[in-house]
Amino acid sequence: MIEMILSGGYAVQLTTARNYLLLTERIGKKPMLRTRFTNQAYFVLASILDLIDQQVLAIQDDQLIIKDRDKFGRLPNYLSGFKARIMAEITKGNKLTDTLDLITSWDIANELYDGVGVELLRDQLVRKTSVKTNLDTHVIYLPTDAARMQVTDDLKTQMTAADISQATISLVTIYEQLDALKWLISDKNELAGLTQAFHRKIDDDPFYQTKRALVKTAQDVITKKKFWYDSWLS
């Protein structure tokens, strides 16, 4: 688990963001979290869900708010762009849909990726490599096979646990929105059993319902932004 110890003893735990990177990052034709817009946006969303889980942020009256200003002020330096954007959205009084446009920021996604990547490298869960694309050369934090397998196994165990962690709920909710659980769990019968057990446990949980609604709103924001990019580039 990533823990960034700050002054005063507070530790930020970006568990969902970390696990999302370990499960998602691939090289292939394009590095998933360096060049793919949708994957980047959900990576930023994962970090927001982590901070909501830890009561640093919250959703209130259709707005994203800072719930604990002390913790928010002591977030790690690499989240400076993220913090500045949150503050700007709050100052403008924007509604949640407008505020969530921040998840489509390339700069915020890359700051987060580098920060989390360095932590994972320190823990020997990724290796640092460079990949050249048509436009640029990118530094990539590529998960080890062992790390990816461990996160997948932990996810399966958590989905049927008596007490499912908030990070697991966030991760599964994101992957279900992406229709991507099938790429993590290829056995159809196993996947069906895990998802049924998961939803029996959490579907009536108000916090899950709020989280699911947030992820759906984020998906709408991402889709609209992609259409805007396509029209602008055409």
Side-chain angles (χ1 to χ4, degrees):
M1 179 181 296
I2 293 177
E3 293 189 358
M4 289 151 285
I5 307 299
L6 311 176
S7 59
Y10 172 61
V12 179
Q13 299 176 0
L14 296 181
T15 309
T16 308
R18 178 204 64 175
N19 289 340
Y20 181 81
L21 189 157
L22 291 174
L23 290 174
T24 304
E25 185 62 289
R26 303 286 197 280
I27 297 299
K29 294 181 179 179
K30 293 182 178 180
M32 300 295 282
L33 297 184
R34 277 299 198 204
T35 61
R36 297 211 172 195
F37 171 77
T38 298
N39 295 109
Q40 278 193 332
Y42 277 106
F43 181 54
V44 179
L45 177 64
S47 71
I48 291 176
L49 292 173
D50 282 327
L51 295 180
I52 289 174
D53 288 345
Q54 294 169 75
Q55 302 185 54
V56 178
L57 302 176
I59 298 171
Q60 180 178 297
D61 298 328
D62 195 32
Q63 290 180 311
L64 188 66
I65 66 168
I66 300 170
K67 187 169 184 178
D68 190 318
R69 289 189 173 272
D70 180 53
K71 290 180 179 179
F72 183 82
R74 293 187 287 122
L75 290 175
N77 291 335
Y78 72 76
L79 290 176
S80 59
F82 173 85
K83 291 169 59 180
R85 181 65 181 271
I86 289 288
M87 290 300 299
E89 297 295 331
I90 290 174
T91 299
K92 289 185 287 188
N94 279 343
K95 294 298 183 181
L96 183 62
T97 300
D98 295 322
T99 297
L100 284 178
D101 185 66
L102 70 88
I103 69 175
T104 67
S105 166
W106 295 95
D107 289 339
I108 292 174
N110 283 313
E111 287 176 0
L112 178 64
Y113 183 82
D114 286 326
V116 173
V118 167
E119 295 289 332
L120 291 171
L121 185 66
R122 182 198 64 190
D123 294 339
Q124 301 182 338
L125 298 174
V126 298
R127 61 181 177 85
K128 190 175 180 180
T129 186
S130 295
V131 176
K132 188 173 183 179
T133 65
N134 292 336
L135 300 177
D136 204 354
T137 298
H138 301 275
V139 173
I140 306 300
Y141 295 95
L142 186 64
T144 65
D145 291 341
R148 204 188 306 272
M149 184 177 297
Q150 183 63 60
V151 175
T152 303
D153 289 344
D154 289 347
L155 181 67
K156 292 178 182 179
T157 299
Q158 268 288 307
M159 287 178 72
T160 59
D163 185 16
I164 303 174
S165 71
Q166 289 299 331
T168 296
I169 293 173
S170 296
L171 196 62
V172 172
T173 304
I174 287 174
Y175 273 104
E176 286 194 323
Q177 188 65 56
L178 286 166
D179 190 27
L181 276 178
K182 60 189 177 186
W183 303 115
L184 302 180
I185 306 166
S186 57
D187 186 299
K188 293 182 180 180
N189 292 329
E190 181 183 21
L191 178 57
L194 289 170
T195 53
Q196 288 171 9
F198 175 82
H199 284 289
R200 277 199 303 268
K201 180 69 177 179
I202 55 89
D203 273 359
D204 294 330
D205 186 332
F207 196 66
Y208 163 69
Q209 294 170 1
T210 299
K211 188 172 289 188
R212 182 176 60 181
L214 175 61
V215 173
K216 179 61 174 66
T217 300
Q219 191 269 338
D220 293 340
V221 170
I222 293 167
T223 300
K224 289 178 182 178
K225 195 63 171 282
K226 287 176 69 176
F227 280 131
W228 182 86
Y229 279 138
D230 288 343
S231 64
W232 181 74
L233 292 171
S234 62

